[in-house]
Each structure stands twice: as structure tokens, then as C-alpha cells.
Amino acid sequence: MSETLPAFNTHGVFAIYRFEIARAARTILQSLLTPVITTSLYFIVFGAAIGSRIDEIGGVSYGAFIVPGLIMLSLFTESLSNASFGIYFPKFTGTIYEILSAPISAFEIVLAYVGAAATKSIILGLVILATARLFVPFEIAHPGWTIGFLVLTATTFSLFGFIIGVWAKSFEQLSFVPMLVVTPLTFLGGAFYSIDMLPPFWRTVALFNPVVYLISGFRWSFFGEGDVGVAVSLAATLGFFTLCLVIVWWIFRTGYRLKS
Amino acid sequence: MDQITPADEARPPVRNTPVISVRGLSKTYDGGFEALKKIDLDIRQGEIFALLGPNGAGKTTLISIICGIVTPTAGEITAAGHNIVSDYRAARYKIALVPQELATDAFESVWATVSFSRGLYGRPPDPALIEQILRDLSLWDKRKEKIMNLSGGMKRRVMIAKALAHEPDILFLDEPTAGVDVELRRDMWALVRGLRERGVTIILTTHYIEEAEEMADRIGVINNGELIIVEDKATLIKKLGKKQLTLNLQEPLEAIPTELSEWSLALKAGGAELEYTFDVNDEHTGVPSLLRRMSDIGIGFKDLNTRQSSLEEIFVSLVRRPQ
Ligand SMILES: Nc1ncnc2c1ncn2[C@@H]1O[C@H](COP(=O)(O)OP(=O)(O)OP(=O)(O)O)[C@@H](O)[C@H]1O
Ligand SMILES: [Mg+2]
């Protein structure tokens, strides 16, 4: 009997992918219900209570205006926590030995972990979108772009999360970047307002915040208008994506914090 | 796309072809600690190789490097003819590892985690095989149990099941019987023998010397990162072993008579026993001449027995050299 060794370890990628999806399925309540409830609370507070006193922004009601920002906020945090935990936990428990000694390439490992994390966030993003639709009426101007930005952002932040998971040496470090960098940048990045509403000086400062570009592009796909042009948004998102790819490539080339 | 045909048929006609070859392997950990110093080692196809050495000798480091978990500082390794770095996929496809530390996923079921391992190593699902492995390891009743609900010994069996799930040709067992009860140890030995009969090459480490004595074809002793000896078990025992002849004397002696000073003798049991230690390799052991001389000078004995030094004694004498 002669078996052939395929050049791509499909079974291996699926094994990790399924494992990661199963992990989320075990905690389906946490994985889905928590973000949905949080988002609903945002809608009640910002959309209904405060939003009713805020004028339309660029012809869009405030309640609808915050939808893309809220989805992005969840997408960032969930992709980061999912992907970082996915790779950190085997490091923590020691089960990483099996991944490291398996006939599976770095690309396949990343594909499986990042793919699973991105899948989960995309599903989550769509669930939040559906939840939001229950609270406020809105139309999506460019649904193709909405999906495109959703997938690209989920993938990019899952890659970023993977990097954090490899880098982290403790559970504190694991939540450090999401809590202290990403969430503030998102809040300041126009999730809840247009940066046009800022005074000129702060507007310039805001343009240094990368998250502005990510949210702007996504919002453009909804309402046909964003803080910056869609091409700039797309370029920024792709740029961040490439940066993450390069770092991941470096991690596997050097074995950084994966191998001693 | 490069299609590689793994070497099932590479079970070579010459049994001595090394299935693993380690050349000039050194490892210095980040802190500057030199855990392995220029190791050269060949593992033969189909043998059981026992790697012995005191705590911190470098056994786990050596195994971890071959399996791809630790990066070597210098040296070349091939497994089943494939370089473990440049051709890692083909090499690792053949290798399985049961690490020393118990590391399992707490929330997964036994069945899921064993199936996971098979997939991870690129094999298509084979429920019948997984069932067989779980039955062999007495885990079948526990297949739906979450791993965290298993005892330590069962977890170790799960780790063995994971390693066997992808039908490896080369199996590394890093202290497989540490913290395992007597019965499971016997089962484990039977399992290892069964694997060897199927042609699997097995490299194991252990601190139970009698285990190596019982199981191994060849033995390597590693100390302070240096491989100090690699030898067939029988040869090792013969070469380094000493034999002892003990004579139970009829009358206790106060001291060894000068007539017997040619032989290296010692008085034991308050002079009631005379002990003669000699080298097995020495053709001319001097036992007959000793006995003749004793009867000449009138020392009688009631009983006698001979004893060969155990592997354990050999091991202790090897690693207890001055540093
Ligand atoms: N990740 C690491 N970083 C630094 N030093 C290490 C690391 N892993 C092992 N060492 C050191 O390398 C030496 C060899 O360790 P190793 O685990 O290979 O020993 P061993 O022979 O398997 O011992 P034992 O019988 O206790 O399992 C030890 O001195 C250990 O402290
Ligand atoms: Mg060890």
C-alpha cells in the first residue's frame, strides 16, 4: 500500500479549524449572547435615549449612524480575543507541543486559527447587524462592500489577535492590547460620531488613528459616505492586513515565543 | 506540487540503516545553558532504544529537537531519510511523540482529542482505528468523557492514544511510565512490544532502569548533555558488568589469609562470607584456582552463589563520574 503525502495538510487545517469552532460552540451563550446584549444596550443608550436628541448626521439618523461603528467595535474585540485566546491557550496548557511537532506548515496553522477566529467574528458581525435592524431602520447602500470590509477586517484583526496570543506570556497581557489600545482607539475613531464633528485640531489628531479609516470604509458601504474616501479606507485596511502578515511570517521564521 | 511517497517500502532490507540519524547536535538555551553537547546518535529501524540519564541530562531536549518543538543550536538530523528542518513535513509525518509533561485539552472528549490528532497529522478519519486504539488502552468506556474528568494515568493513556492515532513509524515516549501504576506499566510494556512487532521504532526515556533492562534492544546513557555510551543492552551488561562469587564459609574468618591475596576478595557478614568480584570478560577468572587454593589451606564453604551486576549498578557507576 502506497500512501502519498499531500503538499497541503487539508486534514490538519480542518482539525484545528473544527477544534476552534467547537470551542466557541461549547460556549455559544458567551460567544453570541454577550455581544448581542451589549450591542442592544448601546442602542438603547446611544440610539434611543441620547440619539433622539442628536441631529441626523449626513442625512442619516443617529441610531442608524452608529450601527457600522458598533459592528466594527465588536468585530475588533471579538476577533482579537478569539484568535489570541486560540493560540495562547495551547501555549498555556502545553498542548502546543502537538501543533509544533505535526507535519503542518506555518501557513496552514495560521490559516486554521485565523480562519476559525474570523469565521466566528463574521457570524457575530452579521448577528449584530440583524439585531441592529430590529432597533433602527436603515438600508445598506453597497452590500458587497459591507461583506468585503467585514471579512477583511475580521481576518486582519484575527491575525493581529494571533500575534498577541503568541506574544502574551500571561492572561493580563492577553487582554492588555484589546483593552488599552484597541477599545480606546475605536471609541475615539468615530464609532459614535463623525470626525467632522470634532474641532479642527482634534480632527487632525483623529486622522492619525488607524481605526478611523477602518470604520469610515465600513460606514461608507452602508450610507455611501464616510469620514475619508473609501479608497483610502481600503488601502489602510489592506496595509494593516499586510503588516500583520509580515509579523506572523517573522514569528514562524524565528520561532518567536513558540519554540525555545 | 511536490508529491512525496512516504517510505513504507523504505523499510530497508538492511536492518542497520538508521531510521534516525543525529549528527553534531548541540543546544544552548537562551539563558546560555548548554543542554546538549555535540550529540551523534543513530537509531536503527525497528528497535526499542532506551535513553537513560539523570534529571536534567538533556533527554527531553534531545527528543524535543528531533520532534521539532525545540530549535537546535547546531547539528543535522534526519528521520526516515528526511531532514527534519528542510523536509519537516515528510519527517514529521512518520513521527509521534508522547511528551513527559501531561498536557491535554480539559474540555474536549477523549474521542474528539484522539481524532483531532489523527487529522492534525494529515490522515483521513478512521473511526475503526480510533476505536481499536481506545480499546487497546482501556479507554473505550471513557471515550465520551471530558479529559479533565480523567485520572492522571488515564490522561497519560489519552496522550499515548493521540500519538498512535496517526499510525507513526517512529514513536518517542518521554517517561511513559512515570506516575503510572504497576498494572498499567505492564500494559504499557506489552503495548510497546506489540508496536515493535509491527515494525515501529521506539525511543523511550525512563528512570526505571529495570524497564530499560526489560524492554530495550539498545541503551544510550546521557549525562550533562553528553552521550556517554550507546550499546546493545546485552553487550553493555556484559562489557561493563561485574560478576560476584559469594562463598558461605563453614568457619568465619577474622581476616583474609595472605595465601589468597592474589584474588580481590572481601569479607562480608562478619567474616562468614567471602566475596570475590571479577570481570566477566576476563577469560581466566580464577574461580577454579581460588577454590583449589582454599581447599589446600583448609577453608571450607557450605554454599556458593554468583551474581551479575544489574544495569542499575552499571548506570550509577557511569553517571557518578567526577564532573
Ligand atoms: N526551555 C528551557 N530553557 C532553559 N533551560 C532549559 C529549558 N528546558 C530545559 N532546560 C535545561 O536543560 C537541561 C536539560 O533538560 P531536559 O529537560 O532535557 O532534561 P531531562 O534529561 O529530560 O531531565 P528529566 O529526567 O528531569 O526529565 C536542564 O538543565 C534544564 O534546566
Ligand atoms: Mg525529561
Side-chain angles (χ1 to χ4, degrees):
Chain A
M1 199 185 79
S2 160
E3 27 169 7
T4 46
L5 178 62
F8 185 84
N9 186 351
T10 321
H11 292 296
V13 172
F14 270 108
I16 297 177
Y17 186 86
R18 262 198 309 270
F19 178 92
E20 282 298 296
I21 298 289
R23 191 166 62 78
R26 269 200 301 271
T27 53
I28 187 88
L29 233 54
Q30 254 171 307
S31 318
L32 276 184
L33 212 57
T34 318
V36 168
I37 290 175
T38 317
T39 316
S40 304
L41 288 175
Y42 276 121
F43 275 114
I44 293 165
V45 175
F46 290 108
I50 300 174
S52 58
R53 299 173 178 228
I54 297 179
D55 292 337
E56 290 191 343
I57 303 174
V60 180
S61 81
Y62 186 69
F65 179 83
I66 62 173
V67 172
L70 275 180
I71 295 176
M72 278 282 152
L73 181 62
S74 296
L75 215 57
F76 295 164
T77 49
E78 289 302 309
S79 301
L80 285 180
S81 74
N82 251 318
S84 62
F85 196 79
I87 188 70
Y88 177 76
F89 205 61
K91 273 199 334 176
F92 178 73
T93 60
T95 52
I96 188 98
Y97 83 86
E98 213 184 1
I99 309 282
L100 293 178
S101 59
I104 188 163
S105 69
F107 172 72
E108 289 156 355
I109 294 174
V110 172
L111 186 68
Y113 276 109
V114 169
T119 306
K120 286 183 269 185
S121 335
I122 290 166
I123 291 173
L124 182 81
L126 294 174
V127 168
I128 292 175
L129 185 64
T131 313
R133 196 67 186 74
L134 298 177
F135 285 89
V136 280
F138 56 84
E139 300 286 315
I140 296 179
H142 312 284
W145 282 101
T146 304
I147 299 295
F149 273 114
L150 199 67
V151 171
L152 188 60
T153 311
T155 311
T156 304
F157 275 76
S158 296
L159 269 176
F160 188 23
F162 187 87
I163 295 167
I164 294 170
V166 170
W167 163 79
K169 281 184 168 171
S170 65
F171 280 98
E172 287 85 66
Q173 290 187 339
L174 206 57
S175 51
F176 175 83
V177 176
M179 292 295 289
L180 283 150
V181 181
V182 177
T183 307
L185 284 183
T186 310
F187 272 84
L188 299 174
F192 299 107
Y193 54 86
S194 162
I195 61 166
D196 287 337
M197 295 157 82
L198 295 172
F201 171 74
W202 289 109
R203 196 168 172 259
T204 315
V205 171
L207 287 175
F208 286 97
N209 178 353
V211 174
V212 166
Y213 300 89
L214 305 181
I215 293 179
S216 169
F218 196 53
R219 184 174 289 138
W220 172 87
S221 79
F222 275 69
F223 308 122
E225 226 172 297
D227 290 329
V228 295
V230 64
V232 180
S233 289
L234 190 63
T237 315
L238 286 173
F240 188 34
F241 176 72
T242 313
L243 178 68
C244 290
L245 270 187
V246 170
I247 297 174
V248 167
W249 171 81
W250 174 83
I251 283 174
F252 278 100
R253 222 189 58 121
T254 59
Y256 173 76
R257 289 200 180 168
L258 283 178
K259 302 185 183 193
S260 40
Chain B
M1 297 245 283
D2 50 333
Q3 295 272 329
I4 304 148
T5 313
D8 261 347
E9 56 283 356
R11 186 136 300 153
V14 189
R15 218 188 81 97
N16 275 0
T17 312
V19 69
I20 290 176
S21 134
V22 176
R23 287 289 168 271
L25 179 66
S26 299
K27 174 64 187 178
T28 306
Y29 278 109
D30 282 346
F33 182 82
E34 204 180 357
L36 291 177
K37 300 164 190 163
K38 286 204 149 277
I39 301 277
D40 289 315
L41 175 64
D42 281 337
I43 305 289
R44 294 175 194 157
Q45 180 85 42
E47 72 174 341
I48 298 179
F49 186 89
L51 195 57
L52 306 180
N55 288 136
K59 304 180 294 293
T60 300
T61 303
L62 175 59
I63 288 178
S64 301
I65 291 174
I66 300 174
C67 292
I69 298 165
V70 170
T71 36
T73 310
E76 287 262 313
I77 300 168
T78 63
H82 305 284
N83 184 293
I84 63 148
V85 178
S86 60
D87 201 4
Y88 69 95
R89 204 194 281 272
R92 292 182 194 175
Y93 197 73
K94 301 272 164 190
I95 299 179
L97 164 68
V98 180
Q100 179 174 1
E101 302 289 331
L102 275 181
T104 50
D105 296 299
F107 305 106
E108 290 283 295
S109 73
V110 171
W111 179 269
T113 200
V114 176
S115 305
F116 170 83
S117 298
R118 184 170 171 84
L120 186 65
Y121 276 73
R123 266 64 162 194
D126 186 348
L129 175 83
I130 307 278
E131 174 172 348
Q132 190 55 50
I133 290 170
L134 292 183
R135 285 189 189 281
D136 287 350
L137 286 160
S138 318
L139 284 169
W140 182 245
D141 294 340
K142 298 280 180 187
R143 67 189 179 281
K144 291 177 185 156
E145 197 72 60
K146 279 189 182 152
I147 298 169
M148 63 181 177
N149 297 335
L150 301 181
S151 75
M154 290 175 187
K155 284 181 189 151
R156 191 163 289 282
R157 274 182 275 174
V158 169
M159 294 186 65
I160 295 173
K162 281 166 81 72
L164 297 182
H166 54 271
E167 304 166 275
D169 290 351
I170 304 164
L171 177 62
F172 286 92
L173 298 165
D174 200 352
E175 295 192 31
T177 52
V180 147
D181 70 20
V182 182
E183 203 177 334
L184 178 53
R185 183 172 307 166
R186 297 274 160 197
D187 288 353
M188 211 91 97
W189 291 1
L191 181 92
V192 167
R193 283 206 194 85
L195 287 170
R196 193 189 53 173
E197 267 158 40
R198 301 212 311 256
V200 178
T201 307
I202 293 148
I203 299 97
L204 57 87
T205 73
T206 179
H207 287 292
Y208 303 104
I209 310 293
E210 77 270 17
E211 191 161 277
E213 199 160 359
E214 169 99 21
M215 305 284 302
D217 299 309
R218 282 199 311 150
I219 289 172
V221 178
I222 188 167
N223 194 24
N224 292 321
E226 283 173 293
L227 202 53
I228 51 183
I229 199 162
V230 177
E231 200 61 86
D232 276 342
K233 177 181 64 186
T235 320
L236 183 70
I237 292 174
K238 224 166 106 190
K239 202 155 103 184
L240 294 176
K242 294 262 196 268
K243 263 195 157 180
Q244 262 170 2
L245 171 71
T246 309
L247 299 162
N248 295 68
L249 303 176
Q250 273 166 347
E251 304 288 334
L253 286 176
E254 298 263 312
I256 296 166
T258 45
E259 291 93 333
L260 301 181
S261 58
E262 282 173 49
W263 294 268
S264 64
L265 296 172
L267 277 175
K268 293 283 160 76
E273 288 178 5
L274 191 61
E275 195 178 82
Y276 173 40
T277 306
F278 56 95
D279 197 323
V280 192
N281 297 324
D282 213 343
E283 290 291 309
H284 177 70
T285 58
V287 173
S289 52
L290 171 67
L291 296 183
R292 226 175 299 122
R293 178 71 59 88
M294 281 172 65
S295 85
D296 286 352
I297 60 172
I299 304 173
F301 56 93
K302 299 179 284 195
D303 195 8
L304 84 174
N305 68 73
T306 60
R307 195 177 76 81
Q308 177 130 31
S309 52
S310 67
L311 186 59
E312 180 151 341
E313 289 163 309
I314 297 171
F315 172 75
V316 169
S317 72
L318 273 174
V319 299
R320 211 200 269 139
R321 295 186 312 185
Q323 312 251 329

